[in-house]
Amino acid sequence: MGANHLRIYKKLSHLCDVAGIYDADPDKCQRMQETYGAVCCASCDRLLSEVDAASIVAPTAHHYEIAKNALQKGVHILLEKPITQEVEQGEELVRIAEESGRILQVGHIERFNPAVELLPGILRGKKVIALEFRRMSPYDPRVADIDVVQDLMIHDIDVMRYILPGEIESIQAVGASPRSGSCCDYAVAILRLQGGVVANFTASRVTEQKIRKACITTDEAYIELDYNERKIIVVRSTRGNYDAGSTPVYRQESLIEKVFVPNHEPLVKEIESFLESVAGGMRPAVDGSAGVRALETVKRIQASMACGGACA
């Protein structure tokens, strides 16, 4: 993922100059230097002493330490999700960023998916009844330090909190670890939100198909979003009867709309948004507080799973 960030920064040369890169693996760093012409720094600390802004794309266990160091050095940061391993660590980073006047943006990339960006407008004026999210992938042994909730489900948790920012009243969740053993690979969570809205999440990294979908039931429409295809289908109820005497001769059950979704790479929009926030001193679209809220929900889901599905 770090190489992808570097690729985008080089592409956005009108917004920034790439001062350097650091990777704990010298061979990877050298390959990125040869591919993108970025200078490899001898240490992370040295790199952070020479830049105004940086992407931190490291294993989650290192987020807090690196991000805290960066913020204390006055560096604006784009920190990959999840913000940290523990909620308290994330809250401290938010506090440091606010006190230092630095930008802290969290890499919840689905916020910049063009289909997700259209959701608030589509939902405006509608009463949401239920949501269903499915995020499923084949097994990837490289992701070994966090479970499927913190790795994959957190994307949809952030999207839910974006479109429905109200309180979560209760959570029930169960999970299984068929491949990792120690980490949950398959999880299902049911959340009851303020106002009675039900949100159902399924996340898997042991499914031999990549699925990324969100389905929203409202009082007047059913909305299906495909993250991968970046498309939205809206099914509206438009019943109409035309009678000939006492016998209906025509009835239209529903109207299906295919929403036009602009095509852009979410990572480009995410990094553009970060750089514009840095340049303009504006609060980022996905700030540290949003990262903390998503992580808080993750922790409640994990707590429910640990208790065999008890409410959290």
Side-chain angles (χ1 to χ4, degrees), residues 46 62-63 79 91 108 116 124 127 177 191 193 222:
R46 179 175 174 181
H62 302 292
H63 281 193
L79 179 60
E91 290 173 336
H108 286 288
V116 173
R124 189 173 297 119
K127 180 183 178 182
S177 308
L191 282 61
L193 312 180
Y222 174 76

Side-chain angles (χ1 to χ4, degrees), residues 71-135:
L71 290 170
Q72 289 177 337
K73 289 181 181 295
V75 178
H76 303 282
I77 58 172
L78 169 52
L79 179 60
E80 266 298 344
K81 65 82 193 166
I83 184 170
T84 47
Q85 279 194 313
E86 304 300 332
V87 171
E88 295 77 15
Q89 295 172 331
E91 290 173 336
E92 184 178 355
L93 294 184
V94 170
R95 178 183 59 77
I96 295 171
E98 290 177 349
E99 290 176 354
S100 62
R102 300 297 95 179
I103 298 296
L104 168 56
Q105 180 171 319
V106 183
H108 286 288
I109 194 168
E110 293 292 19
R111 287 276 203 106
F112 299 91
N113 186 308
V116 173
E117 289 179 323
L118 294 176
L119 269 183
I122 293 172
L123 292 173
R124 189 173 297 119
K126 298 178 178 61
K127 180 183 178 182
V128 176
I129 298 169
L131 306 97
E132 181 181 5
F133 297 92
R134 288 185 295 152
R135 186 169 294 263

Side-chain angles (χ1 to χ4, degrees), residues 10 90 204-205:
K10 295 294 286 188
S204 169
R205 52 188 183 195

Side-chain angles (χ1 to χ4, degrees), residues 7 15 39 51 71 87 115 126 131 141 196 215 238 278 289 291-292 307:
R7 170 178 60 85
L15 296 177
V39 177
V51 299
L71 290 170
V87 171
K126 298 178 178 61
L131 306 97
C215 301
T238 57
V278 171
S289 296
V292 169
C307 295

